[in-house]
Amino acid sequence: MIPMNKKQSAAAPEQRFASRERTPSVDIRDVNHYYGAGENRKQVLFHNNLQLYPGEIVIMTGPSGSGKTTLLTLIGALRSVQEGNVTILDRELKGLGRSEQERIRTNIGFIFQAHNLFESLTAHETIRLVMQLHDYSRSQYVTRPAEILTELGLADRMHYKPENLSGGQRQRVAIGRALVNHPKLILADEPTAALDKDTGRKVVTMLQERAKNEACTILIVTHDNRILDVADRIVNMVDGYIVSNIDVAESLMICNFLKKCKVFAKTDPTLLADVAGKMTIETVVAGNDIITEGEVGDKFYLIRSGTAEAYRTVNSNVTTLKPYVTGDFFGELALLSNAPRGASVRATSETDLLVLDKAIFVDVVKQSKNFEDRLKDVFFHK
Amino acid sequence: MGIALSWKNTTQNKKRTLAAVSGIAFSLVLIFMQVGFLDGATTASTLLYDCIDFDLIVTSDRYESMMSCGRFDRIYMRKAAVEPGVAGTGILNLAGKRWTNPDTEEQCSILLVGVDDDPAYVLHPEIRDNLSQVAPDNTIMLDRLSHKDYGDVSVGTTGTIQDVDVRVTANFDLGVSLFTEGSGVTNHKTFARLTGVPARMASFGLIKIDPNANLQDVKRRLRNALPADVFLFDRDEFIRQEQAFFISVKPVGIVFQTGVLVSFMVGMVILYQVLSTEVSNRLSEYATLKAVGFSTAFIYRIGINQALFFSVLSYSPALIVSLLLYHIIRIASRLPMHLDPPIALFVLALTIVMCSVSGYLALRKLKHADPADLF
């Protein structure tokens, strides 16, 4: 019997694939944070882990007081890291002095909920002021603010002071201020809260273009579900814990795969997304067994990429039973029936597998049943 | 751009800026006035000595200042005259009396100055040239710049001092000090008659030394030769003594100095109020500047620039108003008040100190600008 050669990923699901390709622009590892001192010391962040990658738009939600803002200020080098590690754009923030924090902040674009414009400066001057943090040519100090303000639809408001701008216009100036230096990281707090639907959409689209075209990471704290669709990832915080961290595209793909499996066909989307979040990644090299015939089944497998085949060995004769490709799943029968594996499965190329533990699998199936029963109950009483 | 931002912050609210600038400018005008009075009075206090030539001066040991100088026996000066290194000696008498205006019978104080007929000890050209005019008995040379209550002071007028008629035979320009309303020069004989002071008594003994003698050597020798009941000063010591007495002992000097201090405090409080309101109002803007990566130093510079703008904006009009007021006061009171560069620079320095201190106090609030509070 050939032992299974599997690299088990211990990392959180959000970095299942990205981590192999790029280094994160924001890397938060085991961060705890406290407010107050002595007896009044209160922990506000608990074991936070979060990786954000270039080009990603991440939306962070959660009730007020859940620690989102604290986490945002830690990422923005506006607060000193107490426990754990925060790495921003390849710089470790822990133990940095005030002036080093200031320098790092020049590479971050901040968008505040209260736009915090300078009352005495016009839109053009405001943007020009923050350009001073970087080197530009003399003419760029005039042209760039004009360009970005035009892009934001403020061409005719360029020389107005905040007192003569509407809430939405002010917010757009603030966004221009955050974008003008082309930061690799943008932190935004409720950027669309003061905007109407169309303007909000325009702003979000602009942020999206930045993320895609310049591989910029954008973290948005928001309760505005009109803009959820731009999120590559949605992070939910409750009481200082990151309770979920969902790669939207990935999760969507897994759910679609799972739905093809009869077992999950009737599972409701909430539960399905939950299952998707609980799957871990395993990689198997070509030729190695994933399942060995006769063993007790303890896992459910879904092929994320790669190919595999089921086979049986009878008197040293290998009979191939069935090929598997991306989106195919196997292993569910042994779990449902508690029987030994009826066949072996081996990878025929390097294969990424999404794996669900038996305990969770059974639990979900049971819950799905309950759901079905409940639904039937509803029909019955109608 | 930091300077542009400071300037725009300063001028954004024009009404408030104007109010603040007027307040600060007003306090600066007050400072200018007090400093001017003090300087004018100090100048006036030694105006007379600028007219008299001497290297060393002998006074009674009861000497405090010009107006309370005591007297000593002029025989001492004979002793001094024979000391090696002494080129010559003279006598200067001073006494405060009252002049009666012949037309109005109005009385004014007068500083009587008794001088030798030797012009060697007089520097003031008009007095020196007219010494012969006051050689006859009961004649006097009057200061044209005496108070207007003196009435007609021109040559030929006869006024009264201590019930003695005196004839004005010459005039000179000196200007008044704060102690008297006018001054007149007589010979020693007339002086004795008008004041009742015995002719052998002297207020000051003037000593000139040989050009190639060492001042300090001569002074030491004279000190040993002269009795203990007189003081001996060299010129610089004496002038300093007179000014110090005036500035630190006389109530006028103290009043003006206190005035400068109080005006300074008023200006500082106004500026502090303005700047601290400014900092409080813009706390979130400063926090934003910090958040986007501007250094703390940059933000402090904005505050300091604003303090400087306020002081420059206030100083300029204060200077212009003060020049005008000095001119008016000089004409009205004949006090030698001149807004010369040392005074202008002194007040400018005070202004800068004022704005630095209030700026520092106001900017302490900046540490409350925490960018972490912005989210």
Side-chain angles (χ1 to χ4, degrees), chain B residues 224-241:
Chain B
N224 291 330
L226 288 170
D229 63 349
V230 289
F231 290 145
L232 179 67
F233 301 106
D234 60 46
R235 189 181 179 99
D236 291 346
E237 259 178 346
F238 184 70
I239 300 284
R240 268 205 303 279
Q241 174 96 2

Side-chain angles (χ1 to χ4, degrees), chain A residues 257 260 301-304 322-330 353:
Chain A
F257 288 157
K260 286 193 277 178
Y301 296 93
L302 178 64
I303 296 182
R304 192 192 176 277
K322 191 182 176 191
Y324 295 115
V325 292
T326 299
D328 288 345
F329 49 84
F330 50 87
L353 295 161

Side-chain angles (χ1 to χ4, degrees), chain A residues 102 105 119-120 125 132, chain B residues 1 8-9 285 290 296:
Chain A
E102 283 163 3
R105 291 205 292 265
E119 289 294 331
S120 64
E125 288 164 344
Q132 219 188 309
Chain B
M1 196 63 196
K8 283 176 174 148
N9 279 353
E285 294 184 19
K290 274 193 195 177
T296 313

Side-chain angles (χ1 to χ4, degrees), chain A residues 39-322:
Chain A
E39 276 181 31
N40 294 325
R41 191 164 130 121
K42 185 171 171 278
Q43 188 163 1
V44 289
L45 293 182
F46 299 84
H47 308 290
N48 284 179
N49 282 292
L50 184 64
Q51 281 73 35
L52 312 181
Y53 293 90
E56 262 192 326
I57 295 183
V58 179
I59 284 183
M60 187 147 73
T61 62
S64 55
S66 59
K68 315 184 287 289
T69 306
T70 307
L71 192 59
L72 198 66
T73 53
L74 282 173
I75 295 171
L78 296 168
R79 247 180 239 291
S80 297
V81 179
Q82 294 172 346
E83 280 176 22
N85 297 92
V86 177
T87 310
I88 304 298
L89 308 170
D90 295 327
R91 280 296 300 272
E92 167 70 55
L93 295 189
K94 196 176 191 174
L96 284 192
R98 205 175 56 183
S99 63
E100 288 159 308
Q101 288 187 346
E102 283 163 3
R103 204 158 35 248
I104 285 180
R105 291 205 292 265
T106 62
N107 296 314
I108 302 175
F110 291 94
I111 301 169
F112 308 96
Q113 183 172 8
H115 356 85
N116 294 320
L117 294 180
F118 311 117
E119 289 294 331
S120 64
L121 299 186
T122 65
H124 192 279
E125 288 164 344
T126 300
I127 289 172
R128 199 184 160 132
L129 176 69
V130 295
M131 281 175 70
Q132 219 188 309
L133 290 163
H134 297 263
D135 289 326
Y136 292 96
S137 72
R138 197 172 272 271
S139 63
Q140 280 176 311
Y141 279 112
V142 181
T143 54
R144 287 196 60 157
E147 281 163 20
I148 198 149
L149 286 170
T150 308
E151 213 178 320
L152 285 160
L154 291 171
D156 55 339
R157 288 284 186 277
M158 222 174 282
H159 300 293
Y160 283 56
K161 286 183 183 174
E163 56 184 346
N164 299 321
L165 296 174
S166 71
Q169 290 167 337
R170 282 183 215 174
Q171 184 62 306
R172 277 183 279 163
V173 175
I175 287 165
R177 180 176 64 186
L179 296 184
V180 68
N181 288 325
H182 291 269
K184 287 289 169 213
L185 175 61
I186 294 173
L187 303 177
D189 187 22
E190 300 282 5
T192 53
L195 306 181
D196 61 70
K197 194 178 159 211
D198 289 344
T199 321
R201 176 52 52 188
K202 220 168 172 177
V203 162
V204 161
T205 310
M206 201 166 163
L207 289 176
Q208 209 170 15
E209 280 166 9
R210 271 303 168 101
K212 300 311 163 210
N213 299 343
E214 301 182 17
C216 168
T217 305
I218 301 177
L219 179 59
I220 304 172
V221 169
T222 190
H223 292 103
D224 185 357
N225 52 18
R226 293 175 304 186
I227 62 167
L228 279 180
D229 60 299
V230 300
D232 294 314
R233 189 128 47 94
I234 297 170
V235 174
N236 193 11
M237 283 191 81
V238 175
D239 295 336
Y241 291 93
I242 294 176
V243 291
S244 74
N245 180 351
I246 295 159
D247 185 322
V248 175
E250 181 76 9
S251 184
L252 212 61
M253 186 181 78
I254 297 173
C255 287
N256 280 328
F257 288 157
L258 285 176
K259 278 187 82 168
K260 286 193 277 178
C261 174
K262 246 184 228 135
V263 183
F264 298 113
K266 284 170 182 159
T267 309
D268 72 303
T270 317
L271 199 54
L272 212 55
D274 210 25
V275 173
K278 279 174 177 156
M279 296 192 91
T280 54
I281 184 80
E282 286 177 16
T283 304
V284 183
V285 297
N288 281 352
D289 273 358
I290 301 165
I291 286 177
T292 310
E293 192 181 342
E295 281 187 345
V296 178
D298 58 351
K299 278 167 183 168
F300 167 74
Y301 296 93
L302 178 64
I303 296 182
R304 192 192 176 277
S305 67
T307 51
E309 60 182 11
Y311 69 97
R312 270 206 188 107
T313 315
V314 184
N315 303 328
S316 309
N317 291 329
V318 176
T319 324
T320 303
L321 300 174
K322 191 182 176 191

